[in-house]
Amino acid sequence: MKVLGVIAAIAIFFVVLVSIDTDKSIADPVKAIVERTNVPNSVTAVYLETRLYDTVFEVIVFSITAIGVATLLGSLARAPHENQSVFHSVTVYSGGLAALSITLFLYVVLNGHVSPGGGFVGGVVLATGVVTYGLTSDFKRASSHYDRLRIKQLESASLLVIFALSTLIMLFPGMHSRLLASGTFGSTLSGGLIPILNILVGIKVYAGAWKMSGEFISRRGTL
Amino acid sequence: MTGSIVIYFSIMGMLAGTIGMILSKNIIKKILSLGIVETSINMMYTGISSRGGIIPPIVSGDFSLSYADPIPQAVIITGIVISFALLCLSLVLAIIIYNNYHTMDVETIERNFEREEE
């Protein structure tokens, strides 16, 4: 049975390898996208304007996975974790790294439409910084911000606002394109609703990624 | 040229990951192979987007440069987050399976499961 599976896999990928046309020249879509949206970063323009429908359902899938991980791991016992520190210089470094990642998150998210970056990247950057801080110096202190800053409520609120804004953009595309055209090309304040969506997606991805990693760490225990 | 090399290597990576998923008996190794497949698919989309040019598609006023295609990149930026979520969920299921059967070997789990059924 396994041999049959391997033969089938090799056959399928051989067909793909033969049929793929790697040198096919394509029409240049960058000019059309940038002129339509008046936003320099055409990747952000695609996933938050022309393919917004796709992004909305992607955010739904991510939220459902975060709920699933939290629910499935919720039935397991928590590992005891006490205050541990690897050694003191790491504590200092990881605090600085967390501060740096917060700054980078703000930069990447706010300038996601004029320079490389965007909501997804920003959320992952922030989650990486905070998880590194929690693993190397003080996990209790790192996880206390989740309740103190009301990240759970913030996540749900940003999800609702993402739905509302996306529905608005999809229902009234003419209004949003007038808003996009009114901004100066290349300035941070241009881009209509795209920077707001970037911030919300960043918060959403950060909250989901921290929730999933934090659940794993609190079940396994730190180092 | 670079794009086609990337595409061929990513197809080989997908094949290696798929065969690994079929042949390995350990669940963690299966999940790692799934990760290899996902990374290869991301790499393939990057290769596809570089067919028209390799300059990052962030325009500063000059449209005559040969920019990379932004649409595959925008598709895969959501795909990266989805693959992270998928890996997380499958690892959680692996933890639950380990807690129930105290092994990661698929055949042992199957035998134990059949014994429970009877």
Side-chain angles (χ1 to χ4, degrees):
Chain A
M1 203 60 203
K2 271 184 181 173
V3 181
L4 212 66
V6 172
I7 291 171
I10 290 174
I12 289 169
F13 282 104
F14 186 73
V15 171
V16 173
L17 207 60
V18 169
S19 62
I20 198 159
D21 188 1
T22 52
D23 294 322
K24 191 182 171 196
S25 63
I26 37 160
D28 189 20
V30 178
K31 192 167 187 279
I33 291 165
V34 171
E35 278 177 354
R36 183 194 144 116
T37 57
N38 200 20
V39 159
N41 189 346
S42 52
V43 178
T44 308
V46 169
Y47 76 76
L48 287 179
E49 225 278 331
T50 50
R51 288 180 62 96
L52 185 61
Y53 205 58
D54 192 32
T55 308
V56 170
F57 283 97
E58 190 271 337
V59 169
I60 294 175
V61 169
F62 192 69
S63 324
I64 291 174
T65 318
I67 294 169
V69 169
T71 319
L72 286 173
L73 276 180
S75 58
L76 304 179
R78 281 174 184 271
H81 50 260
E82 59 272 7
N83 283 335
Q84 46 97 33
S85 63
V86 186
F87 45 91
H88 288 294
S89 52
V90 170
T91 313
V92 177
Y93 290 151
S94 60
L97 197 70
L100 201 68
S101 72
I102 292 168
T103 320
L104 197 62
F105 164 76
L106 289 175
Y107 177 79
V108 159
V109 160
L110 290 175
N111 287 305
H113 56 298
V114 288
S115 66
F120 294 108
V121 187
V124 173
V125 163
L126 188 55
T128 310
V130 180
V131 168
T132 312
Y133 176 76
L135 277 178
T136 50
S137 41
D138 192 348
F139 183 70
K140 273 182 187 166
R141 201 172 152 207
S143 57
S144 70
H145 84 281
Y146 193 82
D147 293 326
R148 207 175 59 235
L149 296 177
R150 299 179 187 275
I151 304 284
K152 201 172 180 178
Q153 285 87 340
L154 204 64
E155 183 189 5
S156 315
S158 59
L159 188 62
L160 280 179
V161 181
I162 288 172
F163 287 162
L165 289 181
S166 318
T167 318
L168 217 69
I169 293 172
M170 283 188 271
L171 283 181
F172 307 107
M175 196 183 74
H176 190 232
S177 52
R178 272 202 300 282
L179 201 65
L180 285 170
S182 66
T184 342
F185 181 78
S187 106
T188 312
L189 290 175
S190 69
L193 295 174
I194 289 179
I196 302 169
L197 278 176
N198 255 337
I199 295 169
L200 295 171
V201 169
I203 292 171
K204 180 80 205 68
V205 169
Y206 163 67
W210 165 256
K211 183 73 188 160
M212 287 196 246
S213 324
E215 288 286 335
F216 273 114
I217 295 165
S218 63
R219 287 325 182 279
R220 184 198 172 276
T222 42
L223 292 174
Chain B
M1 183 59 200
T2 327
S4 53
I5 293 173
V6 169
I7 291 173
Y8 287 133
F9 269 95
S10 61
I11 290 173
M12 281 177 209
M14 276 188 252
L15 181 61
T18 314
I19 290 176
M21 267 197 284
I22 294 170
L23 290 185
S24 61
K25 287 173 185 161
N26 192 314
I27 292 177
I28 295 291
K29 283 182 188 168
K30 276 183 194 289
I31 294 172
L32 280 177
S33 310
L34 184 67
I36 291 172
V37 175
E38 285 165 355
T39 316
S40 308
I41 291 171
N42 297 350
M43 212 166 91
M44 184 182 177
Y45 271 73
T46 320
I48 288 172
S49 76
S50 74
R51 286 188 303 190
I54 56 167
I55 299 171
I58 295 162
V59 181
S60 53
D62 187 7
F63 287 109
S64 61
L65 301 170
S66 54
Y67 289 110
D69 190 1
I71 294 170
Q73 297 190 9
V75 171
I76 217 63
I77 201 166
T78 55
I80 291 170
V81 177
I82 293 292
S83 65
F84 164 70
L86 185 64
L87 279 184
C88 267
L89 204 60
S90 46
L91 282 173
V92 172
L93 293 176
I95 290 174
I96 290 173
I97 287 171
Y98 184 80
N99 282 348
N100 275 349
Y101 295 101
H102 301 287
T103 175
M104 280 289 181
D105 188 75
V106 188
E107 290 179 351
T108 319
I109 291 170
E110 207 166 318
R111 272 200 301 278
N112 287 353
F113 188 70
E114 279 169 3
R115 207 177 301 144
E116 277 178 15
E117 290 271 286
E118 284 164 7

